Amino acid sequence: MTERLAARQVVALLTDGSSFTELPAPERGSGPDGPLAWQGYDASRARAVERTGEEESVVCGTGTVGGTRAVLIAFEFGFLGGSLGERTGDRLEAAYTYARARRLPVVPLVATGGSRLQEGMLALTQLQRVARQSALTREADLPQIAVLRDPTTGGGWATLGAGADVTLALPGAQVGFAGSRVRPPDADPAAYTAEAQVAAGAVDAVVRPGELRAVLGRWLRLLTSPSTAPLLPPSSLGASTLPATGWDAVQRARSPQRPRAEAYLSAYFTHRVAISGDRCGGTDPDGMLCGFGEHEGRTVAYAAQTGTATRPAGYRTATRLIRLADRLGIPVLTLVDTPGAANDAEAERQGVGAAIADLFGSVASARTPITTLLIGEGGSGGALALAAPGNTWATPDSYFSVIGPEMAAAILKRGAGEVEATADQLRIRPQDLVELGVVRGVVEGA
């Protein structure tokens, strides 16, 4: 497990030089032993102050991380377990309000065990205040990037952590809604870790402390650089000549030698960072690549299919990506390459139809420009959901079809010998797609 650092140590680890300036703490009076008159509460607070040097469980201020100014909210776990009370809520509200007034991103550095018992339901209701501040900041189109430290549990995880746009975590950090003292006795402790939350699609990445400033700085630069100019599609990396027949187009698109999404993304971006997971318990790392990168000095979001059948979690992750980019004013590049959506029983149980519908909706309603390049197989609605209406392009080694030619022949009760002719009838070649108005054009090589 990573060493548990104090709030100001984490701030010093992340900020450039002496750039951190603490925000003034709001004043709040209270009676003896707090709002519930909990006997011994004042003494507990006094010991926490002496032990940590802090007056409350959060330290809030502004600082630059990798050259980008942000509002930092650092929890001090040594102060009553980093718990949230009324005064904590006051500080959090003031920090979010300050960020919105000055158009700054918010970076919660979370380490908390949950709400403060000595303040009862008044402590728990601070989560509603925090949730509202996060929602207002989201409506203001400002990014929120959370860093999960050890531990991140309870309401702090369910608001500041899981509610952020991007969630990073330190290795081995305890992350979960249930803290260690309230879980079932037979619960697997490995399920309550940062690594497990990445696997479950709830955290984007685990980042080592020594790399955190650079990674967080890159995220902040990318997410605070809006652009309204539309994108040109990437150049083709594969075949330069058009296919002669429909079946030729299919064979080219299915060739193991054809460049896949990873090659296109590496050629297109100077550097990039990935988001992972659909925030609903699923990931599709083998089917959908999503994130943000820099292309010719501007930030571009990307959602790219990898040539396999796309799982429901892959569609949901792409939807999450497009909605975030749309809110932040960042253009989107999508790469279409799939034989179709996963259609096994598990995919149906995971709601593949609803996931595809949601992606269709996010693409259709996006205000930010979306550019699509068909780089391989375009298999039915599972491919079309990721394609921008009116701004989709194709490479010479790609095809788009209402359904695969083999399945089309089967539906028409044709034999295997008629598959190739069926492919021609479907008019799925790139040049056919241009003539039909399905794609804008066929891109050439660099």
Side-chain angles (χ1 to χ4, degrees):
M1 180 180 294
T2 303
E3 177 187 1
R4 184 177 287 169
L5 299 177
R8 294 183 190 274
Q9 289 177 309
V10 174
V11 168
L13 177 71
L14 296 181
T15 52
D16 305 335
S18 56
S19 63
F20 183 74
T21 301
E22 191 169 355
L23 295 175
E27 295 291 335
R28 174 188 284 267
S30 65
D33 285 328
L36 303 187
W38 186 289
Q39 187 173 1
Y41 181 35
D42 283 349
S44 295
R45 286 181 56 88
R47 289 193 295 270
V49 171
E50 182 178 3
R51 182 169 56 251
T52 65
E54 306 294 348
E55 295 293 328
E56 208 14 277
S57 59
V58 289
V59 176
C60 303
T62 63
T64 57
V65 181
T68 302
R69 189 166 174 243
V71 168
L72 305 175
I73 298 170
F75 278 72
E76 176 53 70
F77 188 74
F79 192 102
L80 301 179
S83 56
L84 282 77
E86 287 186 303
R87 292 180 180 176
T88 323
D90 292 342
R91 292 191 176 201
L92 293 173
E93 185 174 72
Y96 272 95
T97 301
Y98 184 95
R100 290 195 299 276
R102 290 157 181 81
R103 305 294 303 166
L104 297 176
V106 180
V107 181
L109 308 169
V110 190
T112 175
S115 300
R116 194 166 299 169
L117 295 179
Q118 295 93 331
E119 296 187 22
M121 278 302 299
L122 292 176
L124 191 65
T125 58
Q126 300 310 304
L127 302 180
Q128 295 173 319
R129 293 179 71 187
V130 172
R132 174 166 174 74
Q133 291 304 313
S134 179
L136 291 173
T137 303
R138 191 175 299 113
E139 290 174 5
D141 299 334
L142 296 170
Q144 300 170 68
I145 305 173
V147 176
L148 311 182
R149 298 151 55 210
D150 182 58
T152 298
T153 61
W157 162 233
T159 52
L160 292 163
D165 299 313
V166 175
T167 307
L168 310 175
L170 295 178
Q174 180 187 173
V175 179
F177 186 63
S180 58
R181 297 183 183 181
V182 297
R183 299 171 193 155
D186 59 346
D188 178 8
Y192 301 84
T193 62
E195 290 76 7
Q197 296 292 354
V198 171
V203 170
D204 290 295
V206 171
V207 184
R208 291 192 292 268
E211 301 171 353
L212 189 56
R213 180 190 293 184
V215 172
L216 180 58
R218 182 169 292 179
W219 270 112
L220 287 168
R221 286 195 304 276
L222 289 171
L223 297 190
T224 56
S225 302
S227 173
T228 58
L231 303 170
L232 292 175
S235 301
S236 173
L237 300 179
S240 57
T241 60
L242 293 170
T245 67
W247 187 243
D248 184 26
V250 172
Q251 289 181 306
R252 285 186 180 196
R254 292 177 180 174
S255 171
Q257 283 73 47
R258 174 182 58 78
R260 262 48 179 191
E262 187 63 44
Y264 276 93
L265 295 175
S266 295
Y268 189 77
F269 289 108
T270 306
H271 59 81
R272 53 193 163 101
V273 288
I275 68 168
S276 175
D278 61 3
R279 298 300 186 260
C280 299
T283 61
D284 187 17
D286 298 325
M288 185 76 77
L289 305 176
C290 295
F292 294 82
E294 182 179 299
H295 173 70
E296 297 182 349
R298 53 190 299 219
T299 300
V300 175
Y302 64 87
Q305 292 170 317
T306 64
T308 65
T310 308
R311 309 293 307 178
Y315 291 115
R316 292 191 180 102
T317 304
T319 296
R320 175 188 161 212
L321 180 282
I322 290 170
R323 286 178 176 161
L324 176 57
D326 190 41
R327 179 162 59 79
L328 299 180
I330 295 171
V332 180
L333 171 68
T334 66
L335 301 180
V336 172
D337 185 10
T338 180
N343 58 5
D344 53 83
E346 186 59 27
E348 294 295 343
R349 283 191 287 266
Q350 293 171 357
V352 64
I356 293 173
D358 213 17
L359 180 55
F360 266 120
S362 69
V363 171
S365 61
R367 299 161 297 173
T368 198
I370 300 177
T371 300
T372 299
L373 181 62
L374 174 67
I375 64 171
E377 292 194 83
S380 196
L384 188 66
L386 197 59
N391 198 27
T392 292
W393 304 74
T395 64
D397 46 4
S398 66
Y399 78 88
F400 225 140
S401 180
V402 63
I403 195 169
E406 295 91 344
M407 292 301 298
I411 291 171
L412 296 171
K413 298 182 180 180
R414 295 176 177 178
E418 297 180 88
V419 170
E420 294 185 20
T422 302
D424 283 335
Q425 284 184 287
L426 288 169
R427 300 196 64 193
I428 60 179
R429 300 175 303 168
Q431 59 267 45
D432 295 326
L433 300 173
V434 173
E435 186 176 338
L436 293 169
V438 175
V439 303
R440 288 184 60 178
V442 180
V443 299
E444 300 178 351

